Amino acid sequence: MPGQINYLRMSITDRCNLRCFYCTPWGGWEKLPCQEILRYEELLRLAGVAAKAGIKKIRVTGGEPLVRRDALGFIRSLGQVPGIEEVCLTTNGVNLAELAPELYATGLRHLNLSLDSLNRDRYREFTGFDHFGDVMAGIERAAVLGFGPIKINCVVLKDLNDDELVDFALLTREHPFQVRFIEFMPTVDEARWRRHFLPMAEIRRRLAGLGPLETVTTAATAGPARTFRIPGFRGELGFISSVSDHHCPTCNRLRLTAAGRLRPCLFAASELDLKGPLRRGASDEALAELFREAIRLKGCVSPAPSLASQPSSPSMVSIGG
Ligand code: SAM
């Protein structure tokens, strides 16, 4: 059984300004009509209700959250919801250099940035856009402003970016970043997943030459990453083995999709509709009960999960990554 469920990933949009081939392929997902996306006041009410059900930490995600109008105003308000102790943001960083000062002023400090290559041409191939320079400028600006921790999420893709593992890890020698290696999950295209999946054991083996990995203890609201530090390095390394070492017993999170559906687990076949009851005038208590129901529905999914085999749209851009 899972432990305490205190972390909600809240998707505020299914739109994105990148087209990462494994997440938001061109024409590969049906976007929600605007009226189907939860409004900010609805999201804020749900955040308050979630806090009553035990949620302490909310990560704002998407799609790309920073493409939604007034995302920063929303983030500021989220930080003021009673009971929510930590607000974090996951972004692809494309607009970060420009928005970082205003984002810092909202009070948010915890930033996760997605970056799968340190090579500009490759970055363009993976994402469909030439924004590598913008993302690097965003990371630099965020670091100068004092955001922290800054976590850099790299989805490892066999034969596509696995020759960059050491370069990514070496970023933590000089910078206080946490570089997190994420196993590629079978979402939009299972055949491609089979070709490019690299298990975490192999990822770690390839980093062994850098030195011993010292375990770093993480907070109770921390996500699924196993965190380490190489002696003498300023930053940390995180390993997220969502496929090879599925982490149900330690998973502490729920996901709210932009369409207002609560997902007990990334791999869950079912979701609870919150938008319907919310728009029909449900009380806070009735909504809190839906959060509790989602928490009860959390449990171990085995054998190894496959999002691709699910009937509903499985891409991370739709679910909220
Ligand atoms: N746009 C934001 C971003 O880029 O961080 C937030 C949403 S994105 C869907 C969140 C994360 O999901 C990204 O780090 C992305 O790499 C990851 N992701 C998407 N599809 C994935 C897959 N098939 N396997 C592993 N990670 C995936």
Side-chain angles (χ1 to χ4, degrees):
M1 278 304 290
Q4 208 198 357
I5 312 304
N6 49 22
Y7 176 13
L8 176 67
R9 296 178 73 96
M10 184 179 257
S11 173
I12 65 168
T13 181
D14 64 340
R15 276 44 171 189
C16 190
N17 46 358
L18 295 182
R19 290 293 176 277
C20 301
F21 72 87
Y22 58 79
C23 183
T24 53
W26 294 102
W29 92 105
E30 221 172 284
K31 295 188 199 67
L32 292 166
C34 287
Q35 68 276 15
E36 295 305 325
I37 295 178
L38 289 181
R39 296 189 293 273
Y40 285 145
E41 61 270 25
E42 293 174 323
L43 288 165
L44 289 170
R45 178 159 174 227
L46 289 179
V49 165
K52 290 196 181 111
I55 298 295
K56 293 181 167 45
K57 167 176 166 178
I58 296 186
R59 173 170 302 286
V60 178
T61 182
E64 171 48 39
L66 294 183
V67 300
R68 181 158 174 185
R69 196 163 46 85
D70 199 26
L72 302 190
F74 170 69
I75 288 169
R76 179 182 289 106
S77 304
L78 199 53
Q80 289 157 6
V81 171
I84 299 303
E85 296 168 7
E86 195 179 323
V87 179
C88 320
L89 174 72
T90 293
T91 173
N92 57 32
V94 168
N95 300 329
L96 187 61
E98 179 196 337
L99 296 177
E102 215 185 314
L103 182 61
Y104 193 83
T106 68
L108 179 136
R109 296 291 178 270
H110 297 237
L111 263 186
N112 280 19
L113 277 131
S114 304
L115 183 65
D116 300 333
S117 178
L118 296 171
N119 172 291
R120 179 178 166 185
D121 292 334
R122 242 184 217 181
Y123 177 92
R124 192 178 44 231
E125 273 165 39
F126 292 172
T127 66
F129 289 90
D130 189 16
H131 284 311
F132 177 71
D134 300 323
V135 178
M136 294 310 280
I139 295 175
E140 205 180 308
R141 187 113 203 245
V144 168
L145 282 165
F147 283 94
I150 295 176
K151 298 180 181 173
I152 298 177
N153 289 340
C154 170
V155 177
V156 180
L157 303 157
K158 185 168 129 201
D159 297 334
L160 295 179
N161 68 359
D162 55 334
D163 56 342
E164 297 187 50
L165 295 178
V166 169
D167 292 341
F168 267 103
L170 283 175
L171 288 176
T172 69
R173 187 163 60 189
E174 310 298 338
H175 304 282
F177 303 147
Q178 186 185 103
V179 170
R180 305 184 339 152
F181 296 108
I182 301 176
E183 277 182 348
F184 181 27
M185 291 187 287
T187 51
V188 288
D189 179 344
E190 194 147 1
R192 232 172 171 173
W193 173 74
R194 285 186 193 291
R195 260 198 317 278
H196 298 299
F197 172 71
L198 195 68
M200 196 53 74
E202 177 60 17
I203 295 170
R204 289 183 60 160
R205 197 190 61 75
R206 300 213 195 160
L207 296 172
L210 290 174
L213 294 178
E214 288 173 354
T215 305
V216 174
T217 315
T218 51
T221 49
R226 301 219 164 95
T227 312
F228 301 89
R229 184 189 294 276
I230 297 174
F233 283 33
R234 292 183 68 200
E236 296 168 353
L237 296 177
F239 298 103
I240 304 182
S241 327
S242 317
V243 179
S244 69
D245 182 14
H246 194 44
H247 38 68
C248 293
T250 54
C251 176
N252 59 347
R253 56 174 71 182
L254 299 176
R255 291 170 193 264
L256 179 64
T257 70
R261 301 182 72 82
L262 193 58
R263 223 178 158 93
C265 162
L266 180 56
F267 302 106
S270 61
E271 296 171 334
L272 298 176
D273 177 34
L274 292 191
K275 184 174 61 195
L278 180 71
R279 291 188 176 173
R280 285 193 297 272
S283 65
D284 279 5
E285 186 40 41
L287 294 169
E289 191 44 38
L290 290 170
F291 275 94
R292 289 188 206 106
E293 173 67 11
I295 290 169
R296 280 193 291 274
L297 285 172
K298 276 187 85 66
C300 276
V301 203
S302 58
S306 167
L307 282 168
S309 62
Q310 289 190 15
S312 61
S313 173
S315 71
M316 296 290 275
V317 75
S318 315
I319 297 171

